[in-house]
Amino acid sequence: MPTDDTLTVAVRVKPGASRPRVGGCFTGPHGPALVIAVTAPAVDGRATEAARRALAGALGIRAAAVALRTGAASRDKLFLVDRPAPGLSELLRRLRDGSAG
């Protein structure tokens, strides 16, 4: 369950991409979602795990700080970031808007 010590991140995963990429916005069932393209196929949770690691990398945090909340069998997922640093929400907004440097 989310608390003040967690940040919920809506994500749209695109498995089987030619190259990994984090950025862009998709309006999905959880609202505006960050698009994460991964090379891993959508088999046995491999795309979900690749997306979790890619999200952590894009946010500059440990992969262990990111956990799947819902959407294991869906392209639309919610991840929880444990103890988000100040400014993380702004970084997410820039990644979604395509203005991250």
Side-chain angles (χ1 to χ4, degrees):
M1 195 71 168
T3 68
D4 289 343
D5 290 339
T6 61
L7 173 68
T8 301
V9 181
V11 167
R12 172 68 170 203
V13 177
K14 294 186 173 183
S18 58
R19 64 183 180 89
R21 179 169 136 25
V22 177
C25 186
F26 176 84
T27 303
H30 306 296
L34 176 64
V35 177
I36 299 180
V38 297
T39 57
V43 176
D44 296 331
R46 290 192 286 186
T48 297
E49 177 59 14
R52 185 181 72 84
R53 291 180 177 276
L55 177 60
L59 298 178
I61 59 177
R62 301 176 352 267
V66 179
L68 181 67
R69 177 175 166 206
T70 186
S74 172
R75 290 175 186 240
D76 298 300
K77 303 180 184 301
L78 289 177
F79 286 98
L80 291 178
V81 176
D82 189 38
R83 302 184 198 284
L88 207 61
S89 293
E90 176 62 19
L91 175 56
L92 278 169
R93 186 192 63 75
R94 290 196 322 264
L95 285 167
R96 269 196 311 261
D97 294 350
S99 59

